[in-house]
Amino acid sequence: MPAADPIRTPMQCALVGLPNVGKSTLFNALTSAGAEAQNFPFCTIEPNTGVVQVPDPRLERISEIVRPERTIPTSVEFIDIAGLVSGASQGDGLGNQFLSHIRQAHAIAQVVRCFQDDSIVHVNGRAAPSDDVDIINTELMLADLQTCEKARDGLQRQARSGIAESREALALIERLCGHLEAGRPVRTLELDEAAQRRIREYHLLSAKPMLYIANIQDERADAGYVEQLCSCVQGAEVVAVNSLLEAEIAELEPDERGEFLLEAGLDEPGLNRVIRAGYALLNLQTFFTAGPKECRAWTFTTGAPAPSAAGRIHSDFERGFIRAEVIGYEDFIRCGGEAGAREAGRLRQEGKEYTVQDGDVIHFRFNV
């Protein structure tokens, strides 16, 4: 399975789906960005982009202890892509333009309509999650097949010219073409690390990690649609979200949201579940830095060594890494901060081989 592209800050997630399935409504709910959302196909033409702060109660508790001048959460950037239709890979519905907006994203969140409402137009006349998923995934794979076939033509010319390294690249591209022609997305193809690095230059759409957002109106009434979606996505992550309800929550003042959620029978906004699913999809975790000027959350890839995590803050931290002073989150809270953790012997000195853990509170020592 291809590895995800190295994560920049913030993580970028493209919202895709058929026209009029509620992507822009969901985007507005997640980002409070006010993107246009109307009841007709192709409402969104140019992509809307919004950066969402990731809610993390751990950062809030750390800040309560440290009392810094400012607290900075990590973030996710959502890109609302215009609705795709059958034939998008051939340019139908401005498909080529819309597909190009997806290529730089780290992951794809496919919004699928999982409710029936005759007052809301469906591009195919009826809600059918399995059909909708098939259309979108087919178009992504067809676009990738075009990319791979074009690359194959160029590599074949190079191979005939005697360029040795092109033969290996050609063999890989032919594998990709065969996989796509069989109707299988690139992310399901087993590739070694060298092949994974090589295919990144093609920005293949079906290689990107995919999660599915089931847009519902009523949890009980729409359960059958959600089950249909789950059964056709081969174990992929599915998050059910009522985008209209989320839009109402987004319009409330922060101190009013708790009561609203309680009345709606929800433990948390759908945003939290979407964020967690996106993090899990990309194998991401969070570490923290804490000081009098700033408490901050940082995203890193699970399994990253300390120098790599330090590089999330600044490249100098990674290049000149000396050691990491680490306190586990639970120890930081239980000991009342860094001084208490140090006194209790819970502050550890870790070197270059240390694997950063989710929730670590870290102070990096470096010299350049």
Side-chain angles (χ1 to χ4, degrees), residues 28-230:
N28 289 344
L30 294 176
T31 66
S32 301
E36 185 179 5
Q38 299 293 335
N39 183 25
F40 58 87
F42 302 114
C43 172
T44 303
I45 295 179
E46 291 301 319
N48 297 298
T49 300
V51 177
V52 182
Q53 293 183 343
V54 178
D56 192 329
R58 298 176 300 178
L59 179 62
E60 296 172 11
R61 292 195 66 189
I62 291 170
S63 291
E64 288 172 1
I65 292 172
V66 177
R67 298 187 180 279
E69 294 177 12
R70 59 179 183 169
T71 299
I72 304 176
T74 189
S75 59
V76 174
E77 185 175 282
F78 285 97
I79 308 168
D80 179 21
I81 307 295
L84 301 173
V85 295
S86 182
S89 59
Q90 302 298 322
D92 290 357
L94 299 180
N96 288 331
Q97 177 183 339
F98 298 163
L99 288 169
S100 69
H101 298 316
I102 307 172
R103 296 195 183 278
Q104 299 304 318
H106 298 110
I108 298 174
Q110 186 175 157
V111 182
V112 183
R113 177 168 164 172
C114 287
F115 64 88
Q116 183 61 45
D117 187 337
D118 294 339
S119 68
I120 300 178
V121 178
H122 189 287
V123 70
N124 291 329
R126 67 185 181 93
S130 59
D131 292 345
D132 294 0
V133 166
D134 185 60
I135 290 171
I136 297 298
N137 289 348
T138 296
E139 293 306 319
L140 297 181
M141 287 187 286
L142 287 173
D144 284 350
L145 185 57
Q146 289 180 12
T147 299
C148 290
E149 287 176 339
K150 183 178 180 180
R152 181 174 61 187
D153 292 343
L155 288 168
Q156 285 174 338
R157 288 193 295 271
Q158 291 179 17
R160 287 194 296 269
S161 300
I163 303 175
E165 58 216 31
S166 65
R167 296 192 188 112
E168 184 177 342
L170 178 59
L172 174 59
I173 283 292
E174 287 176 338
R175 279 188 68 196
L176 292 171
C177 287
H179 196 75
L180 290 163
E181 287 167 352
R184 296 192 294 268
V186 174
R187 61 179 166 272
T188 64
L189 180 62
E190 290 296 328
L191 298 171
D192 61 28
E193 290 186 12
Q196 290 173 14
R197 288 193 298 271
R198 179 164 286 172
I199 71 168
R200 283 177 185 157
E201 65 183 89
Y202 300 118
H203 301 289
L204 299 175
L205 304 177
S206 71
K208 297 181 184 297
M210 173 88 75
L211 70 87
Y212 295 85
I213 300 176
N215 187 14
I216 63 173
Q217 287 188 338
D218 183 279
E219 186 173 356
R220 290 185 179 179
D222 300 330
Y225 288 117
V226 177
E227 289 177 5
Q228 182 186 143
L229 173 61
C230 291

Side-chain angles (χ1 to χ4, degrees), residues 279-313:
Y279 264 48
L281 187 71
L282 288 168
N283 206 25
L284 300 179
Q285 294 181 330
T286 302
F287 74 87
F288 305 98
T289 53
K293 289 189 176 181
E294 176 182 289
C295 283
R296 186 162 182 165
W298 303 88
T299 299
F300 70 99
T301 302
T302 303
S308 176
R312 304 296 298 135
I313 301 174

Side-chain angles (χ1 to χ4, degrees), residues 319-333:
R319 188 170 67 254
F321 179 89
I322 298 173
R323 67 180 181 274
E325 297 177 353
V326 183
I327 307 169
Y329 169 74
E330 296 295 341
D331 287 334
F332 191 94
I333 300 302

